[in-house]
Amino acid sequence: MPKKSQTKTVKRRSSDDEQPPPKQSRDVPSPLCFNSPESLFQSLIQPMGTEQFFREYWEKKPLHLQRSDPSTASYYQSLFQLSDLQNLCSHNLEYYRDVNVVRCISGKKKVLNKQGQVKHSALSKSFVQNKATIQFHQPQRFKDELWKIQEKLECFFGALVGSNVYITPQESQGLPPHYDDVEVFILQLEGQKHWRLYTPTVPLAAEYSLESEERIGSPTHDIILKAGDLLYFPRGTIHQADTPAGTEHSTHLTLSTYQRMSWGDLLLDTFPSLLCDHSKTEVSLRQGMPRRLLLGHSKGLDTSRQLAASLRSLADEMERGMQEVRSTHMKRDFIMNRLPPYTQLELLTPSGKIPALEDMVCLKFKDYMVITVEPSLERTDEATELVIFVLHSLKNQRESHMMGESCDEQEEEDISRSQTMSEKWSKTSI
């Protein structure tokens, strides 16, 4: 269930700590095409075509892609493998934040985490003796090739893309049957994994939940994933997986996206500004409610009908193009929490003089920018002024990607200011 961790990580990298351009850790040819976000996704799901995938499978049903090409299996293994854990344990990993050690016993999840920092010897002992699954959170923080893949996928989807690695010994299962609130792509990196998928009890679920064996019925898909294979299933798909006998261990990577990216989420984000704008021209919305309405004394007033009429009026204006739909919080959340581009650091520096408002501007890294229209942050006695903000992710921290809030309120305010207002041309009144 790869989702954004709620654990806080306070440390942020300063400009003096910036690392040299990333390099591929293993010299393994890539079957993926990084020329564009579209070509990356197309090569990830090949031989399936992108249009066919979104027409027939996205949010509809699972897809199992079998690969017989040994080079694809070798590349998948280079992304993450069991032997990587020893080196990664030297990076001050902590239980719960970076690693979970779990096992499914009699349909129940048993957490076998210790306290504090992760020691490779203790991790290996749990893996061998307890037949526990090692769940590694957000490996793109440490693995350059995963950073390269996921930041391109974030451009393709226009949404955050997280990942988890699951390493499970033979004849063992890490998690009980459950469903997630994300679209899931499984890449089998090492060994084999036995997957059982079931009909959703909550289609396109908006939250994670366990499901009992008694309720889920018979599986709709019974699949053995082999190294190099890919499995996709929509959010809400009930699933469980185990490593079959005869397989020393299984390592798979989950790529997850589209968490809280539904029409309902967009409506929650845009509706307050729509209603505020509509109330400026609709007198009935500015009229006071009946006295004592909040105390439950409506005296037969049909409140629902009154509100429904106002909503219909707003919907009519939207259809006629009289109301502008402006997303603010979702755009900010995405751009401030996504991965920075996988590129050399010097390419991220603006070139040329700071332009004036009347100048033409050429934007680099357009896939890493969003534009929002919001009320001005400057507090004055004058009427509220709408301002265009150009937000970018070029200075985001890879080390904290998908790890929850990385700073307190003051630090977050500083980050927002540095990304939206440090350049004069990024703020234009309308």
Side-chain angles (χ1 to χ4, degrees), residues 21-170:
K23 296 181 180 179
Q24 172 75 4
S25 59
R26 294 181 178 88
D27 188 18
V28 178
S30 172
L32 303 179
C33 177
F34 292 92
N35 291 340
S36 67
E38 292 74 21
S39 65
L40 184 277
F41 183 76
Q42 173 63 80
S43 61
L44 181 68
I45 64 169
Q46 62 81 26
M48 172 71 62
T50 300
E51 290 187 6
Q52 182 184 2
F53 172 77
F54 282 99
R55 182 176 64 250
E56 298 180 11
Y57 294 94
W58 177 257
E59 294 190 332
K60 297 181 180 70
K61 61 183 180 180
L63 170 67
H64 177 205
L65 294 174
Q66 297 175 284
R67 273 67 175 270
S68 58
D69 181 9
S71 63
T72 299
S74 297
Y75 175 75
Y76 274 24
Q77 186 179 34
S78 75
L79 298 177
F80 200 107
Q81 53 191 278
L82 176 62
S83 59
D84 290 332
L85 289 176
Q86 185 168 4
N87 176 61
L88 288 170
C89 285
S90 66
H91 287 73
N92 298 320
L93 304 180
E94 294 186 8
Y95 287 101
Y96 297 100
R97 184 192 69 186
D98 302 297
V99 172
N100 273 337
V101 181
V102 296
R103 186 178 179 188
C104 178
I105 301 176
S106 301
K108 303 293 183 180
K109 175 183 174 181
K110 184 175 182 180
V111 180
L112 303 173
N113 287 352
K114 299 184 181 300
Q115 296 297 320
Q117 290 192 357
V118 178
K119 304 297 183 183
H120 183 254
S121 57
L123 205 59
S124 297
K125 184 177 180 180
S126 294
F127 185 74
V128 175
Q129 296 186 3
N130 298 328
K131 303 191 72 173
T133 289
I134 299 171
Q135 179 187 24
F136 195 98
H137 300 311
Q138 311 303 338
Q140 71 276 7
R141 296 176 292 145
F142 305 95
K143 291 291 189 174
D144 289 345
E145 192 71 1
L146 290 178
W147 171 19
K148 185 178 180 181
I149 292 170
Q150 287 176 235
E151 66 95 349
K152 270 287 190 290
L153 288 177
E154 288 186 334
C155 291
F156 178 78
F157 286 108
L160 295 175
V161 175
S163 68
N164 278 344
V165 165
Y166 296 84
I167 309 176
T168 305
Q170 66 173 321

Side-chain angles (χ1 to χ4, degrees), residues 284-295 297 301 303 306-307:
S284 63
L285 287 178
R286 302 199 300 271
Q287 293 175 344
M289 298 184 297
R291 291 181 299 104
R292 300 173 61 80
L293 178 64
L294 299 182
L295 297 176
H297 300 283
L301 176 67
T303 306
Q306 181 80 11
L307 294 176

